[in-house]
């Protein structure tokens, strides 16, 4: 009994020792990592949360985070232990390398990002205007050197100042089409405006056409905006009841005249001095131009009616009206009141013409009325019987010589406006309520003087642009001041003391009205800038 008990206990001890040795052996075997349930649960969870490990190859493209400092993990595992989970690491690499966008760098420091994309830094120096045609995704799809992303050919190695110069040169080379696009917001009538090209201008006479009723686009301003109008042009203020004469627009036969744009004209006249020289009708043109521009920027400009000056300080622009009804000097004898036209000497205001950037001249009306002077003087000789056409031709040559001697064509542009026709007799202005639609209608007033002006201008060495407004104005018998003027401070309409034919002013024009069209064509000629488009026929 005792021996059997001892044997049983020995086998029990031996079996227990075998189990202990076996467990010890198993616990120290090389593949124990694959048995650890804890490690298999922990490592897959830890790896995504601490994406970049020491000495671990990052799934992000090396060109994006090449210099970025690795994120520090609170639980870093040796590489040897991570390699045992190969399937999980492969999944992570495939997922993150193909799907992680640049937004994965959101937690990076600003300096880190700028350091990592140094090759693209010059791209930020390109002016914003040069990036209008680049797609929004261009900056995120590729991080290549900036030379492959510059949208302007030939500018890859340019300095910032050089880029600006070249861009400005590109813009100015197509100045006329840019205007048509820039003016779309400034003028309600420019939405459908076709860009003006020089090819079209060469075949177009903007002074040949017809009047079109345009109650939407005309007039170009409200007369109430311009309280500086003289009594001669303020027809509505003087009691004219109708407004239809304001709603007509001149339309050329062979081309589309660019719509008037006050802001664009102001920009073209920036930093310039304009002089409008002539008689009272030319002063009406000055009032018209002043109102066209003033109504566009009333808070940035003003008109001195007494001095006949328009100023736009923000544009450094000055427009002046100078009196010279004959262009040549008038000498009045204080004793007997006799007047002599000095044909070889220009009007005293000539000293104010010189140096202007734009000059607009006219004369003619005062030459038709022989009662406005008594004698002519030429080279210290006095003439009492000289023909008007001969005297006028001498006076125009005196003016032409001054222009050729004193005008710098690189700075100054000279215009001469044709004669403004009156409407008396058969086409009395006070009887007319609409334009003359008969295209065969011809006015003979001042025809010989008109021809002298045209021949003088055509024969000059200094280029002069001729504004041939005579024919188009001849159709507008309805737009004169007529009986809507003043005399000795009283309205002619209110007095009714004389017949209309005795008091009607059929020489001057109402404003808004025909002089606005003259200035519109002046503006158009500035855009067209081609003598071939300003015909004298």
């Amino acid at each position: 009994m005792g021996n059997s008990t001892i044997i049983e206990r020995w086998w029990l001890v031996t079996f227990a020792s075998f189990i202990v040795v076996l467990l010890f052996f198993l616990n120290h075997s090389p593949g124990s990592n694959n048995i650890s349930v804890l490690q298999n649960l922990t490592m897959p969870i830890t790896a995504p949360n601490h994406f970049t490990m020491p000495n671990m190859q990052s799934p992000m493209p090396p060109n994006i985070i090449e210099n970025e400092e690795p994120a520090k993990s609170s639980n870093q595992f040796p590489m040897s232990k991570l390699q045992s989970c190969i399937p999980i690491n492969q999944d992570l690499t495939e997922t993150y390398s193909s799907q992680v966008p640049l937004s994965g760098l959101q937690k990076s420091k600003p300096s880190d990002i700028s350091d990592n994309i140094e090759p693209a830094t010059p791209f930020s120096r390109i002016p914003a205007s040069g990036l209008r045609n680049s797609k929004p995704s261009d900056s995120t799809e590729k991080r290549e050197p900036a030379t492959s992303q510059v949208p302007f050919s030939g500018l890859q190695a340019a300095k910032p100042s050089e880029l600006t110069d070249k861009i400005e040169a590109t813009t100015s080379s197509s100045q006329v089409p840019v205007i048509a696009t820039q003016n779309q917001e400034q003028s309600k009538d420019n939405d459908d405006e076709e860009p003006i090209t020089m090819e079209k201008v060469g075949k177009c006479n903007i002074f040949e056409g017809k009047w079109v009723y345009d109650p939407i686009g005309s007039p170009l301003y409200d007369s109430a905006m311009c309280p500086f109008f003289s009594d001669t042009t303020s027809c509505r203020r003087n009691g004219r009841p109708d407004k239809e004469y304001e709603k007509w627009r001149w339309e050329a036969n062979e081309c589309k005249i660019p719509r008037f744009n006050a802001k664009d004209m102001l920009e073209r006249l920036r930093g310039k001095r304009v002089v409008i020289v002539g008689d009272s009708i030319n002063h009406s043109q000055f009032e018209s131009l002043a109102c066209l521009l003033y109504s566009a920027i009333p808070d940035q400009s003003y008109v001195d009616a007494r001095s006949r000056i328009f100023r736009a300080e923000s544009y450094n622009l000055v427009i002046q009206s100078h009196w010279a009804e004959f262009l040549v000097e008038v000498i009045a004898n204080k004793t007997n009141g006799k007047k002599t036209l000095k044909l070889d000497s220009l009007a005293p205001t000539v000293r104010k013409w010189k140096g202007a950037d734009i000059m607009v001249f006219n004369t003619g009306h005062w030459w038709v009325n022989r009662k406005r002077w008594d004698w002519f003087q030429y080279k210290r000789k006095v003439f009492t019987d000289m023909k008007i056409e001969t005297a006028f031709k001498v006076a125009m040559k005196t003016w032409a010589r001054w222009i050729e001697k004193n005008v710098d064509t690189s700075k100054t542009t000279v215009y001469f406006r044709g004669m403004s026709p009156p409407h008396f007799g058969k086409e009395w202005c006070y009887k007319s309520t609409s334009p003359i639609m008969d295209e065969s209608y011809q006015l003979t007033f001042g025809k010989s003087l008109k021809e002298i002006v045209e021949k003088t201008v055509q024969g000059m060495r200094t280029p002069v642009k001729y504004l041939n407004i005579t024919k188009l104005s001849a159709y507008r018998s309805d737009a004169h001041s007529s009986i809507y003027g003043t005399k000795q401070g009283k309205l002619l309409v209110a007095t009714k003391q004389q017949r209309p034919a005795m008091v009607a002013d059929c020489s001057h024009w109402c404003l808004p009205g025909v002089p606005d069209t003259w200035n519109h064509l002046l503006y158009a000629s500035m855009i067209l800038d081609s003598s071939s488009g300003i015909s004298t026929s």
Side-chain angles (χ1 to χ4, degrees):
M1 184 71 182
N3 291 331
S4 60
T5 302
I6 294 173
I7 293 173
E8 290 176 359
R9 291 180 177 177
W10 181 84
W11 279 107
L12 182 61
V13 171
T14 302
F15 179 76
S17 300
F18 175 78
I19 295 299
V20 170
V21 171
L22 179 61
L23 292 175
F24 180 83
F25 176 79
L26 292 175
N27 287 334
H28 290 77
S29 65
S32 61
N33 285 336
N34 292 329
I35 301 175
S36 175
V37 178
L38 178 62
Q39 290 178 359
N40 279 318
L41 290 174
T42 305
M43 288 192 295
I45 297 174
T46 306
N49 291 339
H50 307 283
F51 189 71
T52 307
M53 304 295 180
N55 301 322
M56 175 181 176
Q57 184 177 1
S58 172
M60 293 292 288
N63 63 325
I64 295 180
I65 59 170
E66 181 180 358
N67 299 322
E68 187 174 10
E69 181 181 356
K72 294 183 179 180
S73 171
S74 59
N75 187 13
Q76 298 179 354
F77 293 93
M79 181 64 71
S80 60
K81 292 189 178 182
L82 284 173
Q83 287 178 343
S84 62
C85 300
I86 294 176
I88 297 178
N89 281 340
Q90 285 179 343
D91 293 339
L92 287 172
T93 304
E94 293 175 0
T95 301
Y96 282 90
S97 62
S98 61
Q99 297 181 3
V100 176
L102 280 178
S103 58
L105 296 178
Q106 290 176 351
K107 294 183 180 180
S108 302
K109 299 178 181 180
S111 60
D112 295 336
I113 296 176
S114 61
D115 293 337
N116 297 334
I117 55 175
E118 285 181 354
T121 303
F123 186 77
S124 63
R125 296 175 185 172
I126 299 175
S129 59
L131 304 179
R132 290 177 182 172
N133 297 327
S134 59
K135 298 179 180 179
S137 59
D138 289 348
S139 59
T140 58
E141 288 178 355
K142 296 182 181 181
R143 290 289 176 177
E144 298 178 0
T147 55
S148 64
Q149 298 182 8
V150 177
F152 302 105
S153 59
L155 303 184
Q156 294 178 356
K159 298 179 181 179
S161 59
E162 295 174 348
L163 290 176
T164 305
D165 295 338
K166 291 187 178 182
I167 293 171
E168 291 177 352
T170 302
T171 304
S172 61
S173 64
S174 57
Q175 182 176 1
V176 174
V178 168
I179 295 169
T181 57
Q182 288 178 342
N183 292 347
Q184 289 178 358
E185 295 182 359
Q186 298 175 353
S187 175
K188 63 182 179 181
D189 298 314
N190 283 356
D191 294 339
D192 300 326
E193 196 69 29
E194 183 179 352
I196 304 298
T197 61
M198 299 311 296
E199 289 76 9
K200 293 182 181 181
V201 174
K203 299 180 181 180
C204 177
N205 181 352
I206 60 177
F207 304 102
E208 286 290 336
K210 59 182 178 295
W211 288 96
V212 178
Y213 187 70
D214 184 12
I216 298 178
S218 300
L220 297 174
Y221 56 85
D222 185 351
S223 59
M225 288 284 294
C226 304
F228 50 83
F229 278 167
S230 62
D231 290 337
T232 303
T233 58
S234 302
C235 298
R236 290 176 60 181
R237 189 173 69 196
N238 294 337
R240 181 161 183 168
D242 67 302
K243 301 179 182 179
E244 294 303 299
Y245 67 95
E246 299 179 351
K247 301 177 182 179
W248 294 85
R249 172 175 54 84
W250 179 251
E251 185 177 278
N253 289 332
E254 300 174 352
C255 63
K256 193 171 184 179
I257 300 174
R259 292 285 189 174
F260 183 82
N261 188 303
K263 291 291 183 67
D264 180 61
M265 190 172 191
L266 282 164
E267 197 60 45
R268 291 173 182 273
L269 297 178
R270 180 183 290 277
K272 298 183 183 300
R273 182 169 70 92
V274 181
V275 294
I276 299 179
V277 183
D279 54 26
S280 56
I281 298 178
N282 228 29
H283 180 66
S284 296
Q285 184 174 1
F286 161 78
E287 289 184 301
S288 164
L289 182 58
C291 189
L292 285 167
L293 302 181
Y294 175 82
S295 59
I297 52 169
D299 56 334
Q300 303 176 46
S301 61
Y302 66 91
V303 176
D304 186 340
R306 183 181 297 273
S307 301
R308 300 185 173 190
I309 296 177
F310 166 86
R311 292 184 183 275
E313 299 291 350
S314 57
Y315 289 88
N316 191 25
L317 168 64
V318 178
I319 302 177
Q320 301 168 323
S321 174
H322 296 303
W323 180 258
E325 70 276 33
F326 295 103
L327 289 184
V328 294
E329 185 178 3
V330 181
I331 302 175
N333 189 311
K334 296 181 180 180
T335 303
N336 56 21
K338 299 292 184 178
K339 295 182 179 179
T340 303
L341 298 187
K342 196 174 181 180
L343 301 180
D344 53 356
S345 177
L346 293 178
T349 56
V350 66
R351 66 183 186 276
K352 299 179 180 179
W353 311 350
K354 193 172 182 178
D357 299 280
I358 294 178
M359 301 177 177
V360 182
F361 294 94
N362 100 289
T363 191
H365 264 269
W366 283 64
W367 287 89
V368 176
N369 190 347
R370 186 65 177 81
K371 296 180 180 180
R372 294 186 179 273
W373 73 90
D374 299 283
W375 303 301
F376 295 114
Q377 179 180 324
Y378 181 66
K379 292 184 178 180
R380 297 185 179 181
K381 293 182 179 181
V382 176
F383 300 85
T384 59
D385 56 350
M386 183 182 293
K387 290 184 178 181
I388 294 177
E389 288 78 8
T390 303
F392 186 71
K393 185 182 296 184
V394 173
M396 286 299 299
K397 286 184 177 180
T398 300
W399 169 82
R401 283 194 296 268
W402 184 90
I403 293 294
E404 292 175 343
K405 182 179 179 180
N406 294 277
V407 168
D408 180 359
T409 55
S410 64
K411 174 189 176 184
T412 303
T413 303
V414 182
Y415 296 87
F416 198 102
R417 177 180 61 75
M419 291 185 66
S420 169
H423 290 87
F424 298 101
K426 183 179 178 180
E427 300 293 340
W428 274 107
C429 66
Y430 72 91
K431 296 180 180 180
S432 180
T433 57
S434 62
I436 298 171
M437 293 302 180
D438 182 5
E439 294 185 4
S440 64
Y441 173 75
Q442 293 184 354
L443 193 65
T444 59
F445 172 81
K447 183 178 179 181
S448 59
L449 302 185
K450 179 176 182 291
E451 292 174 351
I452 293 172
V453 169
E454 293 172 357
K455 289 181 180 179
T456 302
V457 170
Q458 291 173 353
M460 293 176 63
R461 294 190 301 270
T462 300
V464 174
K465 299 182 184 295
Y466 181 54
L467 301 177
N468 190 6
I469 55 84
T470 303
K471 185 177 180 179
L472 67 89
S473 302
Y475 295 131
R476 296 305 308 275
S477 58
D478 62 314
H480 286 287
S481 301
S482 186
I483 59 174
Y484 304 102
T486 61
K487 185 175 183 179
Q488 297 178 352
K490 296 182 179 181
L491 297 177
L492 294 177
V493 176
T495 58
K496 296 182 180 180
Q497 294 178 356
Q498 293 179 321
R499 292 179 301 164
M502 299 297 294
V503 297
D505 181 354
C506 295
S507 296
H508 295 92
W509 304 91
C510 298
L511 290 178
V514 173
D516 299 328
T517 298
W518 303 345
N519 286 315
H520 184 181
L521 296 179
L522 172 65
Y523 167 72
S525 69
M526 293 171 62
I527 293 179
L528 305 181
D529 195 26
S530 172
S531 58
S532 60
I534 305 175
S535 174
T536 59
S537 60

